[in-house]
Coordinates of all heavy atoms in Angstrom, one line a residue:
I1 N -5.3 -20.6 -2.3 CA -4.6 -19.4 -1.9 C -5.7 -18.2 -1.7 O -6.8 -18.3 -2.3 CB -3.6 -18.9 -2.9 CG1 -4.2 -18.8 -4.3 CG2 -2.4 -19.8 -2.9 CD1 -3.2 -18.3 -5.4
L2 N -5.3 -17.3 -0.9 CA -6.0 -16.0 -0.8 C -5.1 -14.9 -1.5 O -3.9 -14.9 -1.3 CB -6.2 -15.6 0.7 CG -6.9 -16.6 1.6 CD1 -6.9 -16.0 3.0 CD2 -8.3 -16.8 1.1
V3 N -5.7 -14.1 -2.3 CA -5.0 -13.1 -3.1 C -5.5 -11.7 -2.8 O -6.6 -11.4 -3.0 CB -5.2 -13.4 -4.6 CG1 -4.4 -12.5 -5.5 CG2 -4.9 -14.9 -5.0
M4 N -4.6 -10.9 -2.3 CA -4.9 -9.5 -2.0 C -4.7 -8.7 -3.3 O -3.6 -8.8 -3.9 CB -4.0 -8.9 -0.9 CG -4.5 -7.6 -0.4 SD -6.0 -7.8 0.5 CE -6.9 -6.3 0.0
C5 N -5.8 -8.0 -3.7 CA -5.7 -7.3 -5.0 C -6.0 -5.8 -4.8 O -6.6 -5.4 -3.7 CB -6.8 -7.8 -5.9 SG -6.8 -9.6 -6.2
D6 N -5.6 -5.0 -5.8 CA -6.2 -3.6 -5.8 C -6.9 -3.4 -7.1 O -6.8 -4.2 -8.0 CB -5.1 -2.6 -5.5 CG -3.9 -2.6 -6.5 OD1 -3.8 -3.5 -7.3 OD2 -3.0 -1.7 -6.4
A7 N -7.6 -2.3 -7.2 CA -8.6 -2.2 -8.3 C -8.4 -1.0 -9.2 O -7.9 0.1 -8.7 CB -10.0 -2.0 -7.6
Y8 N -8.6 -1.2 -10.5 CA -8.3 -0.2 -11.5 C -9.4 -0.2 -12.5 O -10.2 -1.1 -12.7 CB -7.0 -0.6 -12.3 CG -5.8 -0.6 -11.4 CD1 -5.5 -1.7 -10.5 CD2 -4.9 0.5 -11.4 CE1 -4.4 -1.7 -9.7 CE2 -3.8 0.5 -10.5 CZ -3.5 -0.6 -9.7 OH -2.4 -0.6 -8.9
T9 N -9.5 0.9 -13.2 CA -10.4 1.0 -14.4 C -9.8 0.2 -15.5 O -8.6 -0.1 -15.5 CB -10.6 2.5 -14.9 OG1 -9.3 2.9 -15.4 CG2 -11.0 3.4 -13.7
P10 N -10.6 -0.1 -16.6 CA -10.1 -0.9 -17.7 C -8.9 -0.1 -18.4 O -8.1 -0.7 -19.0 CB -11.3 -1.0 -18.6 CG -12.5 -1.0 -17.7 CD -12.1 0.0 -16.6
A11 N -8.9 1.2 -18.2 CA -7.8 2.0 -18.8 C -6.5 2.0 -18.0 O -5.5 2.6 -18.4 CB -8.3 3.4 -19.0
G12 N -6.6 1.3 -16.8 CA -5.4 1.2 -16.0 C -5.3 2.3 -14.9 O -4.2 2.4 -14.3
E13 N -6.3 3.1 -14.7 CA -6.3 4.1 -13.7 C -6.8 3.6 -12.4 O -7.8 2.9 -12.3 CB -7.2 5.3 -14.1 CG -6.8 6.1 -15.3 CD -5.4 6.8 -15.1 OE1 -5.2 7.3 -14.0 OE2 -4.6 6.8 -16.1
P14 N -6.0 3.8 -11.3 CA -6.5 3.3 -9.9 C -7.8 4.0 -9.5 O -8.0 5.2 -9.7 CB -5.3 3.7 -9.0 CG -4.7 4.9 -9.7 CD -4.8 4.7 -11.1
L15 N -8.7 3.2 -8.9 CA -9.9 3.7 -8.4 C -9.6 4.6 -7.2 O -8.6 4.5 -6.5 CB -10.8 2.6 -7.9 CG -11.9 2.1 -9.0 CD1 -11.2 1.6 -10.2 CD2 -12.7 1.0 -8.3
P16 N -10.5 5.6 -6.9 CA -10.3 6.4 -5.7 C -10.1 5.7 -4.4 O -9.4 6.1 -3.5 CB -11.6 7.3 -5.7 CG -12.0 7.3 -7.1 CD -11.7 6.0 -7.7
T17 N -10.7 4.5 -4.3 CA -10.6 3.7 -3.1 C -9.3 2.8 -3.1 O -9.0 2.2 -2.1 CB -11.8 2.7 -3.0 OG1 -12.0 2.1 -4.2 CG2 -13.0 3.5 -2.6
N18 N -8.5 2.9 -4.2 CA -7.3 2.2 -4.3 C -6.2 3.0 -3.6 O -5.5 3.7 -4.3 CB -7.0 1.8 -5.7 CG -5.7 1.0 -5.9 OD1 -5.0 0.8 -4.9 ND2 -5.4 0.6 -7.1
K19 N -6.0 2.8 -2.3 CA -5.0 3.6 -1.6 C -3.6 2.9 -1.7 O -2.6 3.5 -1.4 CB -5.4 3.7 -0.1 CG -6.8 4.3 0.2 CD -6.9 5.6 -0.4 CE -8.3 6.2 -0.1 NZ -8.5 7.5 -0.8
R20 N -3.6 1.7 -2.2 CA -2.4 0.9 -2.3 C -1.5 1.6 -3.4 O -0.3 1.6 -3.3 CB -2.6 -0.5 -2.6 CG -1.4 -1.4 -2.5 CD -1.6 -2.8 -3.0 NE -0.5 -3.7 -2.6 CZ 0.6 -3.8 -3.2 NH1 0.9 -3.1 -4.3 NH2 1.6 -4.6 -2.8
F21 N -2.1 2.1 -4.5 CA -1.4 2.6 -5.6 C -0.4 3.7 -5.2 O 0.8 3.7 -5.5 CB -2.4 3.0 -6.7 CG -1.7 3.6 -7.9 CD1 -1.2 2.8 -8.9 CD2 -1.6 5.0 -8.1 CE1 -0.6 3.3 -10.0 CE2 -1.0 5.5 -9.2 CZ -0.5 4.7 -10.2
N22 N -1.0 4.7 -4.5 CA -0.1 5.8 -4.1 C 0.9 5.4 -3.0 O 2.0 5.9 -3.0 CB -1.0 7.0 -3.6 CG -1.6 7.8 -4.7 OD1 -1.1 7.8 -5.8 ND2 -2.8 8.3 -4.5
A23 N 0.5 4.5 -2.2 CA 1.4 4.0 -1.1 C 2.6 3.3 -1.8 O 3.7 3.5 -1.4 CB 0.7 3.0 -0.2
A24 N 2.3 2.5 -2.8 CA 3.4 1.8 -3.5 C 4.4 2.8 -4.1 O 5.6 2.5 -4.2 CB 2.9 0.9 -4.6
K25 N 3.9 3.9 -4.6 CA 4.8 4.9 -5.2 C 5.7 5.5 -4.1 O 6.9 5.7 -4.4 CB 4.0 6.0 -5.9 CG 3.3 5.6 -7.2 CD 2.9 6.8 -8.0 CE 1.8 7.6 -7.4 NZ 1.4 8.7 -8.3
I26 N 5.1 5.8 -3.0 CA 6.0 6.3 -1.9 C 7.0 5.3 -1.4 O 8.2 5.6 -1.3 CB 5.1 6.7 -0.7 CG1 4.2 8.0 -1.1 CG2 5.9 7.0 0.6 CD1 3.1 8.3 -0.1
F27 N 6.6 4.0 -1.3 CA 7.5 3.0 -0.8 C 8.6 2.6 -1.8 O 9.6 2.0 -1.4 CB 6.7 1.8 -0.3 CG 6.1 2.0 1.1 CD1 4.7 1.9 1.2 CD2 6.8 2.2 2.2 CE1 4.1 2.0 2.4 CE2 6.2 2.4 3.4 CZ 4.8 2.3 3.5
S28 N 8.4 3.0 -3.0 CA 9.4 2.7 -4.1 C 10.4 3.8 -4.3 O 11.4 3.6 -5.0 CB 8.7 2.4 -5.4 OG 8.0 3.5 -5.9
Q29 N 10.2 4.9 -3.6 CA 11.2 6.0 -3.7 C 12.5 5.6 -3.1 O 12.5 4.9 -2.0 CB 10.7 7.2 -2.9 CG 9.4 7.9 -3.4 CD 9.7 8.7 -4.7 OE1 10.7 9.4 -4.8 NE2 8.7 8.7 -5.6
S30 N 13.6 5.9 -3.7 CA 14.9 5.4 -3.3 C 15.2 5.8 -1.9 O 15.8 5.0 -1.2 CB 16.0 5.9 -4.3 OG 16.0 7.4 -4.3
D31 N 14.9 7.0 -1.5 CA 15.2 7.4 -0.1 C 14.4 6.5 0.9 O 15.0 6.2 2.0 CB 14.9 8.9 0.1 CG 15.8 9.8 -0.6 OD1 16.9 9.3 -1.0 OD2 15.5 11.0 -0.6
V32 N 13.2 6.2 0.6 CA 12.4 5.3 1.5 C 12.9 3.9 1.5 O 13.1 3.3 2.5 CB 10.9 5.4 1.1 CG1 10.1 4.4 2.0 CG2 10.4 6.8 1.2
V33 N 13.3 3.4 0.3 CA 13.8 2.0 0.2 C 15.1 1.9 1.0 O 15.3 0.9 1.7 CB 14.1 1.7 -1.3 CG1 14.9 0.3 -1.4 CG2 12.8 1.6 -2.1
A34 N 15.9 2.9 1.0 CA 17.2 2.9 1.7 C 17.0 2.9 3.2 O 17.8 2.3 3.9 CB 18.0 4.1 1.3
E35 N 15.9 3.4 3.7 CA 15.6 3.5 5.1 C 14.9 2.3 5.7 O 14.7 2.1 6.9 CB 14.8 4.8 5.5 CG 15.6 6.0 5.5 CD 16.6 6.1 6.7 OE1 16.5 5.2 7.6 OE2 17.4 7.0 6.8
E36 N 14.5 1.4 4.8 CA 13.8 0.1 5.2 C 12.8 0.3 6.4 O 13.0 -0.1 7.5 CB 14.9 -0.9 5.7 CG 15.9 -1.3 4.6 CD 17.0 -2.2 5.1 OE1 16.9 -2.6 6.3 OE2 18.0 -2.4 4.4
P37 N 11.7 1.0 6.1 CA 10.7 1.3 7.1 C 10.0 0.1 7.6 O 9.5 -0.7 6.8 CB 9.8 2.3 6.5 CG 9.9 2.0 5.0 CD 11.3 1.6 4.8
W38 N 10.0 -0.1 8.9 CA 9.3 -1.3 9.5 C 8.1 -0.7 10.2 O 8.1 0.3 10.9 CB 10.2 -1.9 10.6 CG 11.4 -2.7 10.0 CD1 11.7 -2.9 8.7 CD2 12.4 -3.4 10.8 NE1 12.9 -3.7 8.7 CE2 13.3 -4.0 9.9 CE3 12.5 -3.6 12.2 CZ2 14.4 -4.7 10.4 CZ3 13.6 -4.3 12.6 CH2 14.5 -4.9 11.7
Y39 N 7.0 -1.6 10.2 CA 5.8 -1.2 10.9 C 5.3 -2.4 11.8 O 5.4 -3.5 11.4 CB 4.7 -0.9 9.9 CG 5.0 0.3 9.0 CD1 5.7 0.1 7.8 CD2 4.7 1.6 9.4 CE1 6.1 1.2 7.0 CE2 5.0 2.7 8.6 CZ 5.7 2.5 7.5 OH 6.1 3.6 6.7
G40 N 4.7 -2.0 12.9 CA 4.0 -3.0 13.7 C 2.6 -2.3 14.0 O 2.6 -1.3 14.7
I41 N 1.6 -2.9 13.5 CA 0.2 -2.3 13.7 C -0.6 -3.0 14.7 O -0.7 -4.3 14.6 CB -0.5 -2.2 12.3 CG1 0.3 -1.4 11.3 CG2 -1.9 -1.5 12.5 CD1 -0.2 -1.4 9.9
E42 N -1.1 -2.3 15.7 CA -1.9 -2.9 16.8 C -3.4 -2.7 16.4 O -3.9 -1.6 16.6 CB -1.6 -2.3 18.1 CG -0.1 -2.4 18.5 CD 0.2 -1.5 19.7 OE1 -0.7 -1.4 20.6 OE2 1.3 -1.0 19.8
Q43 N -4.0 -3.7 15.8 CA -5.4 -3.6 15.4 C -6.4 -3.9 16.4 O -6.5 -5.1 16.8 CB -5.6 -4.5 14.1 CG -7.0 -4.5 13.6 CD -7.5 -3.1 13.0 OE1 -7.0 -2.8 11.9 NE2 -8.3 -2.4 13.6
E44 N -7.1 -2.9 17.0 CA -8.2 -3.2 17.9 C -9.5 -3.3 17.2 O -9.7 -2.7 16.1 CB -8.3 -2.0 18.9 CG -7.0 -1.9 19.8 CD -7.1 -0.8 20.8 OE1 -7.9 0.2 20.5 OE2 -6.3 -0.8 21.7
Y45 N -10.4 -4.1 17.7 CA -11.7 -4.4 17.1 C -12.7 -4.8 18.2 O -12.3 -5.2 19.3 CB -11.6 -5.4 16.0 CG -11.1 -6.8 16.5 CD1 -12.0 -7.8 16.9 CD2 -9.8 -7.1 16.6 CE1 -11.6 -9.0 17.3 CE2 -9.3 -8.3 17.0 CZ -10.2 -9.3 17.4 OH -9.8 -10.5 17.8
T46 N -14.0 -4.8 17.9 CA -15.0 -5.1 18.8 C -15.9 -6.2 18.2 O -16.2 -6.1 17.0 CB -15.9 -3.9 19.2 OG1 -15.0 -2.9 19.6 CG2 -16.8 -4.3 20.3

């Protein structure tokens, strides 16, 4: 398996580069959950 992780200090604080932590808080808000937000991301690269 491949495992996507996010990173924390030993005290359990998210690192500044851990953008997932705040995103998870927003996506867990009841108003957001009720709206079932869908995303389609078009990733360009060279």
Side-chain angles (χ1 to χ4, degrees):
I1 55 174
L2 303 176
V3 184
M4 194 67 220
C5 306
D6 58 354
Y8 298 78
T9 68
E13 295 294 322
L15 266 59
T17 48
N18 181 354
K19 307 303 183 186
R20 191 186 194 280
F21 180 79
N22 284 329
K25 287 200 295 186
I26 291 169
F27 283 120
S28 65
Q29 295 284 323
S30 59
D31 287 349
V32 178
V33 172
E35 281 290 355
E36 299 175 10
W38 290 358
Y39 298 90
I41 303 175
E42 304 171 32
Q43 176 68 72
E44 295 177 342
Y45 60 94
T46 308

